[in-house]
Amino acid sequence: MGSAFGNKVKISVFGESHGTAIGVVIDGLPSGEKIDMDEVYRQMARRAPGNDKTATPRKEADKPEILSGLLNGVTTGAPLAAVIYNTNTRSADYGNIMTSPRPGHSDYTAYLRYEGYNDVRGGGHFSGRLTANLVFAGAVIRQILKRRGIDIAAHIYSIGNAYDSPFEPTGISAELIERLNGEKFALVDPEKEDELRAQVDAVRVKGDSVGGIVECIVQGMPAGIGEPMFGGVENVISSIVFGVPAVKGIEFGSGFAGSHSVGSENNDEFYYDENGKVLTKTNNHGGALGGITSGMPILFRAAIKPTASISIEQNTIDLQSGENTKLSVKGRHDPCIVTRAVSVIEAAAAIAVINML
Ligand SMILES: Cc1cc2nc3c(=O)[nH]c(=O)nc-3n(C[C@H](O)[C@H](O)[C@H](O)COP(=O)(O)O)c2cc1C
């Protein structure tokens, strides 16, 4: 399995949804970095299940236990290892998917790839639960980045057909970053909350699910970072963001919409500010030109698909009998993954960024 990411700061993720524990080893962190564990818990609580009506009702404390790499709250330079125990599993809910793969989930492809030996319970290693590891690593790394002037924030850009106000592409205020970093239903415009929640409520009652988009901004990134052709900013960020289960698309800056505009609209004109710093008037390039940071905020959006596990009956196959069959998925699933994915996408961005510095 390719469950490790990064060269400078390498994270290695392990665990299965219904095994004893999940965990992460972070190798290559600088020593002497103070880590505020309350802030780590705060970030993990934003992703944890059972905290919002748009998410699964399954309660899980998601308290990481640090095994090494941290002494008196300061990094030692040794690999930082943490485990998070699985305390609330109901494997019986997954009985029918052992042989009948869920449409839209990884059950069928994992069965092919691992010849049926993979742990299917709760989605096994493919479960969204594994992203608790990313949020842990991200929460540690974000504190190190913050000390170097780099801040990261994300919000729910859309759910179904309802939209939050987008980020101002040339940059957002420190107050907005701070507020969003504490939110479980992170919106630029809190007045849109009812409209976005209504999209989830409408599908939940039918046993269906809905997708959406998470928008993320990285501010304070120095200009001139990135290793084209294949180690560019977009390459590295995309690579880890696609590691987040349910992400099916990513766009930077004006993205796909930019392809419908003309050059004179899409080009970002340069200027010197009052301190002689080079900036651009707009940020359609999303902070990277030729894969190298321009000094403008890195701005990207990740498309999250509707949750695969739905209770509405769908067609599938029975791998044992070789017959076509039907499946209605049981268990406690997120009717919408977008809410919980916000802190995961921020964490993924942090892990990508520290590896580019
Ligand atoms: C935070 C989070 C929670 C998730 N919860 C669920 C869930 O409850 N049910 C489900 O079917 N998929 C859930 N997923 C998505 C699946 O893990 C994912 O769709 C599956 O592994 C297949 O991978 P793919 O969609 O990237 O192709 C979740 C993903 C994340 C990031």
Side-chain angles (χ1 to χ4, degrees), residues 4 41 100 121 159 190 220 244 298 315 319:
Y41 299 145
S100 297
R121 299 167 307 155
I159 293 178
V244 177
I298 299 174
N315 293 309
L319 293 162

Side-chain angles (χ1 to χ4, degrees), residues 7-8 221-237 239 287-294 298 352-357:
N7 296 316
K8 293 176 185 156
M221 190 72 177
I225 305 281
E227 303 291 333
M229 291 170 59
F230 306 114
V233 171
E234 293 110 322
N235 307 64
V236 178
I237 292 178
S239 160
L289 291 164
I292 301 169
T293 53
S294 64
I298 299 174
V353 162
I354 203 166
N355 273 287
M356 290 189 279
L357 291 176

Side-chain angles (χ1 to χ4, degrees), residues 41 137 146 237 314 322 330:
Y41 299 145
K146 196 172 183 61
I237 292 178
Q314 292 197 294
K330 299 191 178 63

Side-chain angles (χ1 to χ4, degrees), residues 105-106 126 128 131 244-246 248 305 307-309 333-334 337 340:
H105 214 290
S106 54
F126 297 86
T131 59
V244 177
K248 286 291 171 185
K305 75 185 195 185
T307 317
S309 304
H333 294 277
D334 293 290
I337 294 164
R340 296 177 62 205

